[in-house]
Amino acid sequence: MSLQSALSPLVSAAIEAALGPEHAGADPVLRPSQFADIQANAALALAKRAGRPPRDVAAAIVEHLAADGVLAQVEISGPGFINLTLDDAWIGNRVSAMSADERLGVPRQETQTVPIDYSAPNVAKEMHVGHLRTTVVGDALARTLEHLGHHVIRQNHIGDWGTPFGMLIEHLLEVGEDSDEARLLETDPNAFYQAARGRFESDEDFATRSRSRVVALQAGDAETLRLWTGLVELSTHYFNRIYGTLGVTLTDADLAGESTYNDDLAAICAELEAAGIATMSEGALCVFLEGYTGREGRPVPLIIRKSDGGYGYGTTDLATVRHRVRDLVADRILYVVGAPQSLHLNMVWDTARLAGWLPESVEVVHVQIGNVLGEDRKILRTRSGAPLRLMALLEEAVATARAVIDEARPDLPEETRATIAPQIGIGAVKYADLSVAHDSEYVFDLSRMVSLTGNTGPYLQYAAARVRSIFRTAGVGPEQARGRIVVTEPAERELALELIEFGEVVAQVGAALEPHRLCGYLFQVAQAFSAFYENCPVLKAEDPAVRESRLALCAVTLDVLVTGLGLLGIEAPEEM
Ligand code: ARG
């Protein structure tokens, strides 16, 4: 239980008792304070309404504050702030309760069904760092919401349909389905794509064949579909290798690409046209929505059927909404997608609302993903300006982590260093993606990400490993350290106060869909632990009861760090 949720009802009750029933449930306006554990600022606003001096109102509230067993000290300060200092015993009881609770105070919420659209790379194209970020953020949200008790349905909306597939299939036929060139799809998809593109641009015959191949594909020609399936499969192997390296939870069962909606598209257009929501404009079927205007106030259409009869990205996305509401029975739908697609998604949702496919009771959220930049503050690319190969980037991260660990821990056996380097390197990359607000951009800087100091993944992993080493030295497992926790020293108190916030923070991440809050919180826990460890001897504590209490506090710290990192999809190495 967090400070907010413990103190809020207490102060609210005091307000009501002091000022009368019309103030029942008044917000105590709790704020962190330098001078106490927390400060209640409600008296200022209440004083205005009551026409009494704020300090008087504060005094009246304090008089009715049933602080027994919770608060050690209550003080009025400044114009009418109420400074609240918690009782050490209360804090000790709260962390002790966490130590006995396998959920660590994380609530189990009423289950909602939540489809999450994330990752969504494109077949026969390189996954870029933008896809990396939607993959990492989406996966952290999926893990967190599941942990809170929700029914998460992962939807990997891969780009597996559209006009380029004519050219890609023709190229596959030319190089041979079992050739090394075809295998490029599994290792360097861009190289395959570029080669196909090159053929398309330089050979008129090839281009003509490609165009009729698209027609055959759309008409459901069996042989063409077989070739297309092969192409998608090879690409999926590539995605799966990346997912495996990253340790994300997506599997083939979560694939729900653009092509899965093919059979819905004609009906979607027909229904929208019949309802008068879509109209023909210059040969294309379009939806014109209020409030979407471009330059010179010209309305921006959502094109749902092009003049050549083809369907586009907007049509398939309308199908995603309808499917997720109607078939998946969603309560809340998340689209973890690049920020620039905001206009597109909003037009899709507005259209779906008009059509009755997206009732007001279903919440839909665009979890906007900001750009990942290079040191030149432009979209991250290789030195030669080519788009980055994601696998190469991940390999570099692991190699950099390996160098860091070789330097920091040459005493660890080679085998151990080989095991933890990927945990650290990948953890570093993921943490960098997660620790900034998902909608802001950031500069990709490997050497900063893998640093053992600062707000980095490795710093948190290191904190957890340090706690583990205490237990190794003690010769007991953390699961055995479940004694009563008594806090007395300031550093102990600070650490315990951080730890008891865990459940509330996880709930907030689930509500606001902001994993960076969990990152910031875990960073504070790690810092508080470090201060505790410096100031409070654990194994060397003279009093056995103190030693036991501190070991138990270490165990809760470890649980919070490991569980918290786990919700972010980051491993916690045994040793570092
Ligand atoms: N494949 C798209 C891209 O690479 C992302 C798809 C996102 N999801 C969606 N339902 N539109 O940009």
mmCIF file of all heavy atoms in Angstrom, residues 377-400:
data_model
loop_
_atom_site.group_PDB
_atom_site.id
_atom_site.type_symbol
_atom_site.label_atom_id
_atom_site.label_comp_id
_atom_site.label_asym_id
_atom_site.label_seq_id
_atom_site.Cartn_x
_atom_site.Cartn_y
_atom_site.Cartn_z
ATOM 1 N N ARG A 377 21.343 13.922 -34.259
ATOM 2 C CA ARG A 377 19.951 14.254 -33.972
ATOM 3 C C ARG A 377 19.018 14.053 -35.174
ATOM 4 O O ARG A 377 17.920 14.583 -35.227
ATOM 5 C CB ARG A 377 19.800 15.669 -33.402
ATOM 6 C CG ARG A 377 20.555 15.853 -32.074
ATOM 7 C CD ARG A 377 19.961 16.942 -31.218
ATOM 8 N NE ARG A 377 18.586 16.672 -30.836
ATOM 9 C CZ ARG A 377 18.202 16.024 -29.744
ATOM 10 N NH1 ARG A 377 19.089 15.573 -28.901
ATOM 11 N NH2 ARG A 377 16.923 15.835 -29.478
ATOM 12 N N LYS A 378 19.482 13.250 -36.132
ATOM 13 C CA LYS A 378 18.576 12.838 -37.208
ATOM 14 C C LYS A 378 18.245 11.365 -36.983
ATOM 15 O O LYS A 378 18.913 10.697 -36.203
ATOM 16 C CB LYS A 378 19.281 13.008 -38.560
ATOM 17 C CG LYS A 378 19.665 14.462 -38.835
ATOM 18 C CD LYS A 378 19.772 14.691 -40.334
ATOM 19 C CE LYS A 378 20.200 16.099 -40.665
ATOM 20 N NZ LYS A 378 21.648 16.182 -40.993
ATOM 21 N N ILE A 379 17.204 10.876 -37.687
ATOM 22 C CA ILE A 379 16.832 9.457 -37.555
ATOM 23 C C ILE A 379 18.083 8.586 -37.642
ATOM 24 O O ILE A 379 18.924 8.778 -38.526
ATOM 25 C CB ILE A 379 15.841 9.063 -38.681
ATOM 26 C CG1 ILE A 379 14.565 9.897 -38.577
ATOM 27 C CG2 ILE A 379 15.542 7.575 -38.668
ATOM 28 C CD1 ILE A 379 13.605 9.494 -37.504
ATOM 29 N N LEU A 380 18.191 7.647 -36.726
ATOM 30 C CA LEU A 380 19.385 6.810 -36.633
ATOM 31 C C LEU A 380 19.612 6.011 -37.913
ATOM 32 O O LEU A 380 18.748 5.311 -38.397
ATOM 33 C CB LEU A 380 19.214 5.866 -35.438
ATOM 34 C CG LEU A 380 20.432 5.056 -35.031
ATOM 35 C CD1 LEU A 380 21.548 5.965 -34.548
ATOM 36 C CD2 LEU A 380 20.058 4.054 -33.961
ATOM 37 N N ARG A 381 20.820 6.132 -38.471
ATOM 38 C CA ARG A 381 21.209 5.381 -39.671
ATOM 39 C C ARG A 381 22.642 4.910 -39.512
ATOM 40 O O ARG A 381 23.324 5.311 -38.585
ATOM 41 C CB ARG A 381 21.134 6.303 -40.902
ATOM 42 C CG ARG A 381 19.729 6.623 -41.257
ATOM 43 C CD ARG A 381 19.637 7.469 -42.529
ATOM 44 N NE ARG A 381 18.224 7.773 -42.746
ATOM 45 C CZ ARG A 381 17.380 6.948 -43.358
ATOM 46 N NH1 ARG A 381 17.796 5.812 -43.851
ATOM 47 N NH2 ARG A 381 16.112 7.277 -43.491
ATOM 48 N N THR A 382 23.095 4.084 -40.439
ATOM 49 C CA THR A 382 24.514 3.710 -40.389
ATOM 50 C C THR A 382 25.340 4.896 -40.895
ATOM 51 O O THR A 382 24.810 5.842 -41.474
ATOM 52 C CB THR A 382 24.828 2.511 -41.303
ATOM 53 O OG1 THR A 382 24.424 2.863 -42.612
ATOM 54 C CG2 THR A 382 24.088 1.280 -40.852
ATOM 55 N N ARG A 383 26.669 4.777 -40.733
ATOM 56 C CA ARG A 383 27.533 5.876 -41.168
ATOM 57 C C ARG A 383 27.355 6.163 -42.650
ATOM 58 O O ARG A 383 27.420 7.302 -43.077
ATOM 59 C CB ARG A 383 28.996 5.560 -40.847
ATOM 60 C CG ARG A 383 29.390 6.294 -39.593
ATOM 61 C CD ARG A 383 30.773 5.974 -39.127
ATOM 62 N NE ARG A 383 30.692 5.770 -37.688
ATOM 63 C CZ ARG A 383 31.068 4.689 -37.066
ATOM 64 N NH1 ARG A 383 31.608 3.691 -37.730
ATOM 65 N NH2 ARG A 383 30.931 4.586 -35.768
ATOM 66 N N SER A 384 27.114 5.108 -43.446
ATOM 67 C CA SER A 384 26.974 5.336 -44.876
ATOM 68 C C SER A 384 25.589 5.865 -45.220
ATOM 69 O O SER A 384 25.299 6.108 -46.384
ATOM 70 C CB SER A 384 27.229 4.023 -45.607
ATOM 71 O OG SER A 384 26.248 3.083 -45.211
ATOM 72 N N GLY A 385 24.740 6.030 -44.216
ATOM 73 C CA GLY A 385 23.416 6.593 -44.473
ATOM 74 C C GLY A 385 22.368 5.536 -44.739
ATOM 75 O O GLY A 385 21.194 5.847 -44.901
ATOM 76 N N ALA A 386 22.778 4.258 -44.756
ATOM 77 C CA ALA A 386 21.805 3.191 -44.986
ATOM 78 C C ALA A 386 21.014 2.967 -43.706
ATOM 79 O O ALA A 386 21.498 3.270 -42.620
ATOM 80 C CB ALA A 386 22.520 1.910 -45.381
ATOM 81 N N PRO A 387 19.799 2.411 -43.841
ATOM 82 C CA PRO A 387 19.074 2.104 -42.608
ATOM 83 C C PRO A 387 19.835 1.029 -41.834
ATOM 84 O O PRO A 387 20.494 0.179 -42.413
ATOM 85 C CB PRO A 387 17.721 1.586 -43.089
ATOM 86 C CG PRO A 387 17.838 1.382 -44.553
ATOM 87 C CD PRO A 387 19.073 2.048 -45.046
ATOM 88 N N LEU A 388 19.733 1.115 -40.539
ATOM 89 C CA LEU A 388 20.497 0.246 -39.661
ATOM 90 C C LEU A 388 19.950 -1.174 -39.656
ATOM 91 O O LEU A 388 18.756 -1.374 -39.603
ATOM 92 C CB LEU A 388 20.328 0.810 -38.255
ATOM 93 C CG LEU A 388 21.537 0.908 -37.391
ATOM 94 C CD1 LEU A 388 22.621 1.711 -38.049
ATOM 95 C CD2 LEU A 388 21.125 1.559 -36.099
ATOM 96 N N ARG A 389 20.810 -2.165 -39.681
ATOM 97 C CA ARG A 389 20.346 -3.535 -39.479
ATOM 98 C C ARG A 389 20.180 -3.757 -37.990
ATOM 99 O O ARG A 389 21.124 -3.652 -37.226
ATOM 100 C CB ARG A 389 21.343 -4.527 -40.055
ATOM 101 C CG ARG A 389 21.124 -4.752 -41.547
ATOM 102 C CD ARG A 389 22.069 -5.808 -42.060
ATOM 103 N NE ARG A 389 21.950 -7.033 -41.270
ATOM 104 C CZ ARG A 389 22.989 -7.720 -40.788
ATOM 105 N NH1 ARG A 389 24.208 -7.297 -41.002
ATOM 106 N NH2 ARG A 389 22.794 -8.828 -40.097
ATOM 107 N N LEU A 390 18.973 -4.083 -37.626
ATOM 108 C CA LEU A 390 18.670 -4.174 -36.200
ATOM 109 C C LEU A 390 19.496 -5.263 -35.518
ATOM 110 O O LEU A 390 19.986 -5.087 -34.402
ATOM 111 C CB LEU A 390 17.178 -4.463 -36.040
ATOM 112 C CG LEU A 390 16.623 -4.174 -34.670
ATOM 113 C CD1 LEU A 390 16.976 -2.782 -34.229
ATOM 114 C CD2 LEU A 390 15.116 -4.334 -34.701
ATOM 115 N N MET A 391 19.665 -6.385 -36.198
ATOM 116 C CA MET A 391 20.429 -7.475 -35.597
ATOM 117 C C MET A 391 21.863 -7.014 -35.315
ATOM 118 O O MET A 391 22.423 -7.318 -34.263
ATOM 119 C CB MET A 391 20.408 -8.677 -36.537
ATOM 120 C CG MET A 391 20.622 -9.992 -35.864
ATOM 121 S SD MET A 391 19.835 -10.147 -34.264
ATOM 122 C CE MET A 391 19.005 -11.667 -34.446
ATOM 123 N N ALA A 392 22.430 -6.271 -36.262
ATOM 124 C CA ALA A 392 23.798 -5.797 -36.091
ATOM 125 C C ALA A 392 23.868 -4.866 -34.882
ATOM 126 O O ALA A 392 24.825 -4.895 -34.089
ATOM 127 C CB ALA A 392 24.258 -5.071 -37.352
ATOM 128 N N LEU A 393 22.837 -4.068 -34.733
ATOM 129 C CA LEU A 393 22.790 -3.132 -33.609
ATOM 130 C C LEU A 393 22.750 -3.891 -32.278
ATOM 131 O O LEU A 393 23.462 -3.553 -31.322
ATOM 132 C CB LEU A 393 21.535 -2.281 -33.758
ATOM 133 C CG LEU A 393 21.415 -1.104 -32.805
ATOM 134 C CD1 LEU A 393 22.207 0.063 -33.360
ATOM 135 C CD2 LEU A 393 19.965 -0.711 -32.624
ATOM 136 N N LEU A 394 21.947 -4.943 -32.242
ATOM 137 C CA LEU A 394 21.827 -5.724 -31.005
ATOM 138 C C LEU A 394 23.139 -6.459 -30.713
ATOM 139 O O LEU A 394 23.573 -6.543 -29.561
ATOM 140 C CB LEU A 394 20.660 -6.708 -31.096
ATOM 141 C CG LEU A 394 19.275 -6.075 -31.271
ATOM 142 C CD1 LEU A 394 18.198 -7.145 -31.364
ATOM 143 C CD2 LEU A 394 18.968 -5.107 -30.125
ATOM 144 N N GLU A 395 23.771 -6.957 -31.780
ATOM 145 C CA GLU A 395 25.061 -7.627 -31.580
ATOM 146 C C GLU A 395 26.091 -6.652 -31.030
ATOM 147 O O GLU A 395 26.890 -6.986 -30.151
ATOM 148 C CB GLU A 395 25.556 -8.239 -32.903
ATOM 149 C CG GLU A 395 24.857 -9.555 -33.212
ATOM 150 C CD GLU A 395 24.934 -9.968 -34.680
ATOM 151 O OE1 GLU A 395 25.658 -9.300 -35.472
ATOM 152 O OE2 GLU A 395 24.249 -10.956 -35.036
ATOM 153 N N GLU A 396 26.062 -5.430 -31.538
ATOM 154 C CA GLU A 396 27.001 -4.417 -31.058
ATOM 155 C C GLU A 396 26.738 -4.109 -29.579
ATOM 156 O O GLU A 396 27.671 -3.936 -28.793
ATOM 157 C CB GLU A 396 26.846 -3.157 -31.901
ATOM 158 C CG GLU A 396 27.986 -2.162 -31.739
ATOM 159 C CD GLU A 396 27.718 -0.874 -32.518
ATOM 160 O OE1 GLU A 396 26.951 -0.928 -33.505
ATOM 161 O OE2 GLU A 396 28.255 0.171 -32.100
ATOM 162 N N ALA A 397 25.461 -4.053 -29.219
ATOM 163 C CA ALA A 397 25.113 -3.774 -27.820
ATOM 164 C C ALA A 397 25.669 -4.863 -26.907
ATOM 165 O O ALA A 397 26.228 -4.587 -25.836
ATOM 166 C CB ALA A 397 23.597 -3.664 -27.661
ATOM 167 N N VAL A 398 25.538 -6.108 -27.351
ATOM 168 C CA VAL A 398 26.031 -7.224 -26.536
ATOM 169 C C VAL A 398 27.558 -7.168 -26.438
ATOM 170 O O VAL A 398 28.137 -7.368 -25.362
ATOM 171 C CB VAL A 398 25.550 -8.578 -27.111
ATOM 172 C CG1 VAL A 398 26.177 -9.743 -26.368
ATOM 173 C CG2 VAL A 398 24.030 -8.657 -27.040
ATOM 174 N N ALA A 399 28.210 -6.863 -27.559
ATOM 175 C CA ALA A 399 29.676 -6.776 -27.546
ATOM 176 C C ALA A 399 30.143 -5.649 -26.622
ATOM 177 O O ALA A 399 31.122 -5.800 -25.875
ATOM 178 C CB ALA A 399 30.192 -6.550 -28.969
ATOM 179 N N THR A 400 29.438 -4.520 -26.670
ATOM 180 C CA THR A 400 29.812 -3.400 -25.801
ATOM 181 C C THR A 400 29.635 -3.780 -24.338
ATOM 182 O O THR A 400 30.481 -3.477 -23.491
ATOM 183 C CB THR A 400 28.956 -2.155 -26.136
ATOM 184 O OG1 THR A 400 28.934 -1.984 -27.551
ATOM 185 C CG2 THR A 400 29.515 -0.903 -25.489
#
